[in-house]
Amino acid sequence: MTEVFIKTIGVFVAVYSYAIMINSPTKYLIWAGVSGAVSGFVYFICTAGQIDVVIATFWSALTAGLISHIFARILKTPVTMFLIGGILPTVPGNGIYQIMHHILENDRAMASYYLAQTLEIAGAIALAVFLMDTFFRIFRRGDWKQDSLRYIRKGERKK
């Protein structure tokens, strides 16, 4: 369990450093690091519990989307400020490296395996971000509200 916490601290430092590198505003650096650390923690807990990498990535990206939307509303800033750092720990960089390695070694079976896994991970990240964004769009407060399958302005009558 201490290994998970050490990895989580490493993810915080990595995402914090990445946020500095892409010139994020200084007042949001800690929050971006927290978003990445929470996402990484969920990923590490899932993989430590023998959950498949694709499913662990999905839960991690879902958590990153939730944290990002919460931070964006609290700090009144765009969601992408925290979402990019939040999904950074789950991006399948090793899978892409393994694909190239096995292609160069002329091992097509392993290259195909890593290609399929990398595409599944990328799809899981995209699906999780889409689901969380849709959830927050449906339940947001504002001028529009959802009425069954269509949107109406507050105060308008149903036809």
Side-chain angles (χ1 to χ4, degrees):
M1 196 59 159
T2 57
E3 182 181 337
V4 170
F5 288 114
I6 291 171
K7 286 181 180 180
T8 303
I9 291 168
V11 168
F12 174 82
V13 171
V15 172
Y16 184 87
S17 301
Y18 180 76
I20 290 172
M21 188 178 74
I22 63 170
N23 293 326
S24 293
T26 308
K27 62 183 176 179
Y28 302 127
L29 293 176
I30 296 288
W31 299 103
V34 169
S35 175
V38 170
S39 172
F41 179 74
V42 169
Y43 179 79
F44 297 139
I45 289 294
C46 288
T47 54
Q50 304 301 320
I51 294 177
D52 184 47
V53 175
V54 177
I55 303 300
T57 301
F58 175 77
W59 285 112
S60 176
L62 202 64
T63 304
L66 176 67
I67 294 290
S68 299
H69 276 280
I70 290 171
F71 286 171
R73 277 150 180 77
I74 291 171
L75 300 170
K76 296 182 180 15
T77 187
V79 174
T80 55
M81 186 77 63
F82 311 109
L83 186 62
I84 292 170
I87 64 172
L88 194 63
T90 61
V91 173
N94 182 42
I96 295 169
Y97 169 80
Q98 291 294 336
I99 292 167
M100 289 308 300
H101 173 74
H102 289 292
I103 286 174
L104 293 174
E105 292 290 323
N106 205 18
D107 186 0
R108 291 179 186 233
M110 289 305 291
S112 298
Y113 168 77
Y114 282 111
L115 176 64
Q117 185 182 44
T118 301
L119 291 175
E120 288 174 358
I121 290 171
I125 293 170
L127 179 63
V129 169
F130 172 75
L131 288 175
M132 196 52 65
D133 189 50
T134 302
F135 176 78
F136 272 91
R137 284 183 189 265
I138 289 172
F139 293 108
R140 73 177 181 195
R141 287 183 265 166
D143 192 30
W144 294 88
K145 68 176 186 175
Q146 187 175 10
D147 178 37
S148 183
L149 297 176
R150 64 188 182 95
Y151 288 93
I152 60 171
R153 285 191 180 270
K154 288 183 179 176
E156 279 186 4
R157 295 185 119 176
K158 294 181 187 177
K159 294 181 182 179

